[in-house]
Amino acid sequence: MNKWTRREILYQLAVMLVLLFFFSYVQDYTFAIEPYKIAFFANYMVAAMVINYVLLPKLYYRNRMLLFVAAVVTVIVLVILVDEYGLEQLYFPDTRGTYFPGLVFTLSETLPIMVIFVAFKLAWDFIKKQKEVEELRSLAQENELQFLKSQINPHFLFNNLNNLYAYAIENSPKTPSIILELSSVLRYMLYECNSEQVNLIQEVKHLQDYMALNELRIEHRGEVSFTSEVDHEGFMIAPLILIVFVENAFKHSTSSQSDMIYIHVRMEVSAEGILNFVCINSYLPHTNTENLAHGIGLSNVKKQLGLVYPDSHRLEIHDQGNAFEVRLQLKLKQSDYA
């Protein structure tokens, strides 16, 4: 028995108890639970339970409306027959059992308790369905985020293995350093950022390692700078978001320029947890302008921002003709341990 079943049983018992006292009071304006009251009430409850747990799931929720209406009418007729030719004859043979008061009057006594009980069941099913929808939506969002991350990681690895291969071919003495830097970055991506949120300090350190790794590609051909003003600890951020913009900056600058490269990254966090991230990189417009705002990495990070920060981010991407500028503002979450 799962938690929903246990909760529903308690819920239905509570509703049934309240309705029993209501029914008892309506009968003679007292809360005394007499045998005849229990008998009549039980007749209505059995009918309502048949509607709730047989007709609703088998017919109503499967859109078999004609059969559902016919079955409900049949149940009501059976309830009236049991009332008039069974219980009335048993408990009131000399008074109410001697005549039929009419269909309208009988329905006015029979239907209210049944309708109320069925309405509470419909309300319960609606709440349960909404919870299931929310859980499915959350699961789908989590799966989509994992899928986006699985695309980002190979994309990063592909670019850097190409770079490592070029150094290895040239027997460059920097090859061991590149391997160590790449190992540090991959360790973070594989083992330290599997949760939805990571500490901002960790993400900044990862960004620094990544930039140090890629700065080796530029050497004396340009300038790389990274400024971080993260004085307020205890904030969390979704992992591998910022690195996509930095990766694109290195890719576009190095692919279009042989020298005069500049890549400037700046980030700061306010005491309220507002992160301002700026990434500016140079490029030569006649070489790769068509691909600046495209590619799997940038497309993924936009989707990820929409999922994780739907109403708490602002992303601006500007092509200045010879420089590509990204400005991202995020409202960060506070760590539970801060």
Side-chain angles (χ1 to χ4, degrees):
M1 183 183 298
N2 60 39
K3 66 176 183 179
W4 273 105
T5 303
R6 290 193 298 270
R7 290 177 181 177
E8 183 171 0
I9 291 174
L10 294 174
Y11 170 80
Q12 296 287 28
L13 288 175
V15 172
M16 196 178 299
L17 188 61
V18 171
L19 289 179
L20 176 59
F21 280 103
F22 172 76
F23 177 77
S24 176
Y25 183 79
V26 169
Q27 293 299 303
D28 56 10
Y29 300 104
T30 70
F31 289 109
I33 307 298
E34 303 290 344
Y36 80 91
K37 294 180 181 179
I38 295 176
F40 280 93
F41 184 77
N43 184 32
Y44 304 150
M45 284 300 98
V46 169
M49 295 290 279
V50 170
I51 295 174
N52 285 349
Y53 294 99
V54 178
L55 302 186
L56 285 179
K58 299 290 186 181
L59 300 176
Y60 182 78
Y61 292 143
R62 296 181 181 180
N63 291 320
R64 303 170 71 179
M65 293 303 174
L66 289 178
L67 283 176
F68 175 74
V69 171
V72 169
V73 170
T74 302
V75 169
I76 293 173
V77 170
L78 290 175
V79 169
I80 293 175
L81 291 176
V82 171
D83 256 13
E84 296 299 324
Y85 299 102
L87 299 179
E88 296 280 5
Q89 299 296 327
L90 178 62
Y91 289 102
F92 308 102
D94 300 324
T95 54
R96 289 160 50 179
T98 60
Y99 66 94
F100 180 66
L103 183 61
V104 174
F105 180 83
T106 303
L107 287 176
S108 68
E109 284 197 331
T110 304
L111 288 183
I113 295 297
M114 293 174 56
V115 169
I116 293 173
F117 196 68
V118 172
F120 273 99
K121 170 61 176 172
L122 288 171
W124 176 267
D125 289 347
F126 176 78
I127 293 172
K128 183 181 178 182
K129 184 64 65 177
Q130 287 297 107
K131 290 285 186 182
E132 291 174 350
V133 169
E134 289 298 322
E135 289 175 2
L136 287 174
R137 186 177 296 141
S138 176
L139 181 61
Q141 184 182 78
E142 182 180 345
N143 289 338
E144 184 171 355
L145 284 174
Q146 291 302 322
F147 174 70
L148 293 176
K149 286 182 183 179
S150 72
Q151 288 185 309
I152 290 172
N153 291 356
H155 181 56
F156 158 81
L157 188 58
F158 175 78
N159 286 342
N160 283 278
L161 284 179
N162 277 344
N163 181 45
L164 178 60
Y165 175 75
Y167 275 96
I169 287 294
E170 297 173 358
N171 292 320
S172 171
K174 294 183 178 180
T175 302
S177 298
I178 295 175
I179 293 175
L180 287 176
E181 293 288 351
L182 182 59
S183 174
S184 174
V185 172
L186 288 178
R187 186 183 303 111
Y188 176 82
M189 296 176 72
L190 293 174
Y191 300 112
E192 299 179 28
C193 65
N194 291 325
S195 56
E196 252 183 64
Q197 300 277 323
V198 297
N199 190 279
L200 180 62
I201 301 299
Q202 290 179 279
E203 190 73 5
V204 171
K205 176 63 167 60
H206 171 57
L207 208 57
Q208 289 173 325
D209 291 341
Y210 178 85
M211 292 191 68
L213 172 65
N214 283 274
E215 192 174 358
L216 293 171
R217 298 163 56 185
I218 295 178
E219 295 181 323
H220 303 296
R221 296 184 295 144
E223 176 188 352
V224 175
S225 69
F226 178 74
T227 305
S228 172
E229 296 181 12
V230 184
D231 300 325
H232 308 284
E233 298 185 4
F235 290 109
M236 309 294 286
I237 187 172
L240 306 180
I241 284 184
L242 304 180
I243 197 171
V244 175
F245 302 113
V246 178
E247 181 182 3
N248 280 341
F250 277 99
K251 179 177 65 176
H252 297 317
S253 290
T254 56
S255 64
S256 68
Q257 296 174 266
S258 59
D259 57 9
M260 303 297 290
I261 295 171
Y262 67 85
I263 298 172
H264 302 314
V265 177
R266 184 177 73 255
M267 57 188 301
E268 57 185 22
V269 180
S270 69
E272 294 76 27
I274 303 298
L275 168 68
N276 285 290
F277 173 85
V278 180
C279 179
I280 303 174
N281 69 274
S282 61
Y283 76 93
L284 293 181
H286 61 272
T287 55
N288 65 347
T289 53
E290 293 182 359
N291 297 319
L292 282 177
H294 302 285
I296 189 173
L298 196 56
S299 174
N300 280 349
V301 80
K302 288 180 178 179
K303 291 180 181 179
Q304 194 171 355
L305 285 168
L307 289 170
V308 183
Y309 300 98
D311 301 311
S312 55
H313 83 277
R314 185 171 73 242
L315 175 63
E316 297 176 359
I317 302 175
H318 302 290
D319 181 359
Q320 299 177 347
N322 59 358
F324 195 51
E325 179 178 349
V326 173
R327 291 185 176 271
L328 174 64
Q329 185 177 88
L330 292 179
K331 178 66 175 73
L332 301 178
K333 295 181 180 179
Q334 186 79 33
S335 170
D336 295 333
Y337 304 101

